[in-house]
């Protein structure tokens, strides 16, 4: 870490470490933010960004290291204590009270009283002053919920400034904003920067990083990769550092086998034509053929999962059309998708995949039962027959089909979710990070299963943050960046380097 020009450092974290059972979330991380700068904190899922922010703001206590704010050594024990020190955070989800007024939200918990009564004029004056610092004029007596999400975001920033913040942390503040609202936020960030505020900016949108940031710090697997001036860090290098892959290490010539040729000659099973959803994905065209694995590549927040959820009807498309076998279909719910023989293994298997208190058997037959309706109830004998079949086929390690699924390992839970959809005989299976958090053996078994299913004619939409895995398994790869499709690679074009170049908007080899 280069400590030059530390005299203007507002925040200095040195050797910060934080561990949880079985996980080293931060390992001796250095991080510096100067007064009057926007500093982007970048890294993929699990890099340590959220943990570092929580350490800085008193949500977590660090295990080791030092944090200085200005000339003071600090050790915030709660977010409220961090705010009193001058560190405020505005999160992706606006954490305000919608049915209170704008003024009440800005001053909430910090209102002064006289003889037990709130000093309403002072509250309104303080709110107007905080908003004026942002160049925003609002009726502070109006109910917060009557304003747009963008205005609520600005109110949250005004609330942070009401605490005399010196350091403002913006954690994914643009995720629910349109382009005009984003530019307004950036104008405010530039104004605050000019006023001498230090700003930590966390986002997954590369265009936004380069539009507003002065410097970039990259974390990977809880470790500091480096700190760089934004103007001198090419996008493709930023992506390679975030993913822990140096471009010089990657094989540009790795291509796909002849299965890609065969699948490309078939009529598409599923087509997306101009499909979009506001603040989720911009209009996208995509085709998937029977017997084909199409990968969705991109950084976290690029629109991969959002696209998968649209295809499965969880978040219905707002524009464009979806075709199955060349015929338009309406996918407005998971039941619609199941009725059309689609399956979906979600990224978060614990929250959205398994039903923890049900047995392995009950989890396996769930989609099949939903598909044929609850009036055609599967008998217990038939449930056992189906469960035993897939426990054997997928080598699910469980003492019994009646074992509660929550007691299985992560890899075996993932296999149960796969079994659930295979039992429903889908034509298209969506796999969102199917190998994340499981051991190498289970990962290999799932990859072999994917290959086997395609030889039987199943189409697979495959999402993975592991570039090697994406290259190894995909016949074609659609690359997403900032919620839109920016490239499609096939056959000999598919390589880790080319995916990274496409994400960075540089020339594909």
């Amino acid at each position: 870490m280069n400590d030059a020009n530390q005299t203007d450092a507002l925040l200095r974290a040195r050797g910060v470490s934080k561990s949880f059972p079985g996980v080293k979330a931060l390992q001796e991380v250095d991080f510096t933010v100067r007064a009057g700068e926007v500093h982007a904190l970048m890294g993929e899922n699990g890099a340590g960004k959220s943990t570092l922010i929580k350490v800085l703001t008193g949500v977590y206590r660090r295990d080791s290291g030092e944090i200085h704010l200005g000339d003071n050594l600090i050790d915030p024990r709660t977010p409220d204590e961090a705010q009193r020190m001058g560190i405020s955070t505005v999160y992706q989800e606006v954490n305000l009270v919608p049915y209170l007024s704008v003024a009440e939200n800005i001053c909430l918990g910090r209102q002064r009283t006289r003889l037990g009564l709130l000093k309403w004029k002072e509250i309104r004056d303080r709110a107007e002053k905080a908003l004026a610092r942002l160049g925003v004029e609002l009726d502070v007596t109006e109910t917060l919920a009557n304003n747009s999400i963008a205005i609520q975001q600005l109110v949250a920033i005004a609330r942070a400034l009401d605490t005399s913040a010196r350091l403002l942390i913006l954690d994914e503040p643009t995720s629910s904003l349109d382009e005009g609202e984003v530019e307004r936020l950036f104008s405010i960030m530039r104004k605050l920067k000019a006023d001498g505020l230090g700003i930590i900016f966390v986002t997954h949108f590369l265009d936004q990083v380069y539009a507003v940031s002065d410097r970039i710090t990259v974390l990977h697997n809880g470790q500091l990769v480096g700190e760089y001036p934004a103007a001198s860090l090419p996008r493709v290098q930023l992506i390679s550092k975030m993913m822990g892959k140096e471009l010089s290490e990657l094989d540009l010539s790795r291509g796909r086998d002849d299965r890609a040729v065969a699948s490309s000659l078939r009529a598409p099973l599923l087509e997306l034509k101009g499909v979009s959803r506001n603040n989720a994905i911009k209009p996208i065209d995509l085709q998937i053929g029977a017997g084909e694995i199409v990968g969705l590549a991109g950084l976290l927040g690029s629109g991969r999962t959002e696209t998968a959820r649209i295809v499965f009807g969880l978040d219905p498309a707002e524009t464009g059309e979806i075709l199955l076998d060349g015929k338009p279909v309406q996918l407005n719910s998971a039941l619609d998708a199941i009725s059309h023989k689609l399956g979906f293994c979600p990224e978060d298997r614990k929250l959205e995949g398994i039903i923890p208190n049900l047995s392995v058997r009950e989890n396996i037959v769930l989609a099949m039962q939903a598909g044929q309706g609850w009036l055609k109830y599967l008998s217990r004998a038939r449930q056992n027959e189906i469960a035993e079949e897939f426990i054997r086929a997928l080598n699910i390690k469980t003492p019994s089909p009646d074992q509660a699924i929550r007691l299985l390992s992560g890899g075996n839970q993932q296999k149960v979710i796969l079994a659930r959809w295979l039992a429903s005989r889908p034509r298209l299976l969506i796999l969102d990070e199917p190998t994340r958090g499981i051991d190498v053996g289970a990962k290999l078994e799932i990859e072999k299963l994917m290959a086997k299913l395609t030889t039987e004619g199943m189409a697979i939409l495959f999402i993975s943050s592991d570039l090697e895995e994406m290259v190894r398994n995909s016949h074609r790869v659609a690359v997403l960046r900032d919620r839109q499709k920016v490239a499609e690679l096939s056959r000999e074009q598919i390589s880790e380097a080319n995916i990274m170049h496409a994400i960075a908007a540089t020339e594909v080899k």
Side-chain angles (χ1 to χ4, degrees), residues 453-505:
L453 292 172
T454 58
T455 63
E456 297 170 356
M458 186 181 295
I460 296 177
L461 184 61
F462 176 53
I463 300 172
S464 176
S465 298
D466 186 325
L467 288 186
E468 289 184 21
E469 189 173 81
M470 179 65 63
V471 170
R472 190 166 55 243
N473 292 290
S474 302
H475 299 110
R476 286 187 294 118
V477 175
V479 183
L480 305 183
R481 184 185 70 246
D482 295 349
R483 299 173 178 161
Q484 61 184 325
K485 179 182 167 184
V486 294
E488 186 169 306
L489 311 176
S490 60
R491 299 174 62 189
E492 68 279 355
Q493 290 181 315
I494 300 176
S495 71
E496 296 173 56
N498 278 344
I499 292 172
M500 289 166 61
H501 278 290
I503 294 172

Side-chain angles (χ1 to χ4, degrees), residues 272-283:
L272 306 184
K273 291 186 174 181
V275 166
S276 71
R277 184 176 172 85
N278 190 37
N279 292 325
I281 190 74
K282 296 176 183 177

Side-chain angles (χ1 to χ4, degrees), residues 173-189:
T174 64
S175 60
S176 299
L177 307 184
D178 63 29
E179 291 181 6
E181 293 165 342
V182 168
E183 188 49 49
R184 184 180 188 185
L185 175 62
F186 285 177
S187 295
I188 287 170
M189 290 169 65

